[in-house]
Amino acid sequence: MKKKNKKKNVKKNIKNKNKKIVKKKKRKLRIGRILILFLIIILIIVIVKLFLKIPIKNFYVKGNINLTDQEIIDLSKLEDYPSLFKYSSKQIEENIESSDYIKKAIVKKKKLKEIHIEIEENIVLFYNTNTKKTVLLNKKEVTKELNGPILINYVPDKVYEKLIEQMSLIDIKILNRISEIKYDPSNVDKERFLFTMNDGNYVYITLEKLESINNYTKISLEIINKFGKKNGTLYLDAGEYFEIFDE
């Protein structure tokens, strides 16, 4: 009986030793895997950090007329060529649109090194020679003289406010055809203006009918068909008729 018990005890001891050995091996394998995973994580972090430090190499700006490319870049706060990922496209757009001169900005990042900026500038209604300021579509006035119609004389405050309101209704293509604006009231209408067009014609118009200037392209074609390529004065303040300049 004692011999059998000894044999059983020996077998149990062997099994226990084997179990211990197996357990030790498993622990070593787990530690190795954890070390490998740890190294992979560190490597990924290093790669991501290097990736996030990639600087902007090139700027492409389009749609700007009154502001230079450098002025747009300065507005974007990217003048120091920071990392491409320092600001989101939305943040850059908001930076640019904070300017009174800008109506809308669209920013796109390309090729991990390029910033493409598309600009829609605020529309210029006119430049006021009295205040030395440019009036924009959003009714703000800026000190920079921008391309647009030029208001050459003084306009009373109430009429001036209405002028800005009505000018905002003019189509941009027609607005670009107006060279000068002169306040020229008559005995009948204190809100009459004289527009000098860049094709050489004059247009008398009142603020009440100012929106009718949007038909100028059509009207000017009718004038050419009837009178040929001759300049004159178009009266839109009372009726709609055209008189050729005296030769």
Side-chain angles (χ1 to χ4, degrees), residues 203-206 209 212-213 219 234-241:
V203 178
Y204 276 107
I205 196 163
T206 61
K209 298 180 179 180
S212 63
I213 195 72
I219 294 169
L234 174 64
Y235 294 87
L236 293 178
D237 57 329
E240 187 181 299
Y241 63 96

Side-chain angles (χ1 to χ4, degrees), residues 33-201:
R33 287 177 182 175
I34 290 168
L35 284 171
I36 291 169
L37 183 61
F38 183 69
L39 289 171
I40 291 169
I41 291 169
I42 289 174
L43 184 62
I44 290 170
I45 291 170
V46 170
I47 291 170
V48 169
K49 281 188 174 182
L50 290 172
F51 184 74
L52 293 175
K53 286 182 179 179
I54 296 174
I56 297 166
K57 294 289 181 70
N58 296 303
F59 287 98
Y60 297 90
V61 182
K62 68 176 183 178
N64 53 318
I65 299 170
N66 296 309
L67 297 183
T68 64
D69 288 1
Q70 188 57 51
E71 285 174 319
I72 299 296
I73 293 167
D74 291 342
L75 284 171
S76 70
K77 297 183 180 178
L78 303 174
E79 65 274 15
D80 295 329
Y81 290 75
S83 164
L84 190 69
F85 303 97
K86 184 175 182 180
Y87 300 104
S88 67
S89 296
K90 183 67 176 175
Q91 286 175 308
I92 299 169
E93 288 169 356
E94 288 174 353
N95 289 340
I96 297 170
E97 289 171 1
S98 66
S99 168
D100 291 333
Y101 300 100
I102 306 298
K103 184 179 179 182
K104 188 175 180 60
I106 297 173
V107 174
K108 294 180 180 178
K109 298 176 181 181
K110 296 183 179 181
K111 299 179 182 179
L112 297 177
K113 62 180 179 178
E114 296 177 357
I115 292 287
H116 291 250
I117 304 172
E118 189 172 345
I119 296 299
E120 184 182 345
E121 292 184 336
N122 215 330
I123 294 170
V124 175
L125 295 183
F126 57 84
Y127 175 73
N128 189 335
T129 56
N130 292 283
T131 62
K132 308 295 182 186
K133 290 183 179 180
T134 301
V135 181
L136 303 174
L137 182 63
N138 58 5
K139 299 179 183 178
K140 289 188 177 181
E141 297 187 2
V142 294
T143 54
K144 187 173 183 178
E145 183 177 352
L146 304 176
N147 294 325
I150 299 172
L151 178 63
I152 62 173
N153 62 343
Y154 171 76
V155 181
D157 290 345
K158 287 186 178 179
V159 179
Y160 185 73
E161 288 175 11
K162 195 172 179 180
L163 172 66
I164 294 172
E165 198 70 44
Q166 293 300 104
M167 287 287 288
S168 66
L169 302 177
I170 299 177
D171 185 272
I172 183 65
K173 291 180 181 177
I174 302 300
L175 199 60
N176 290 336
R177 297 186 68 174
I178 302 170
S179 176
E180 287 184 354
I181 303 169
K182 180 184 178 183
Y183 178 54
D184 196 6
S186 65
N187 293 328
V188 178
D189 200 317
K190 299 299 179 184
E191 295 181 350
R192 189 178 76 154
F193 287 82
L194 175 64
F195 287 178
T196 302
M197 310 303 286
N198 57 18
D199 61 3
N201 289 328

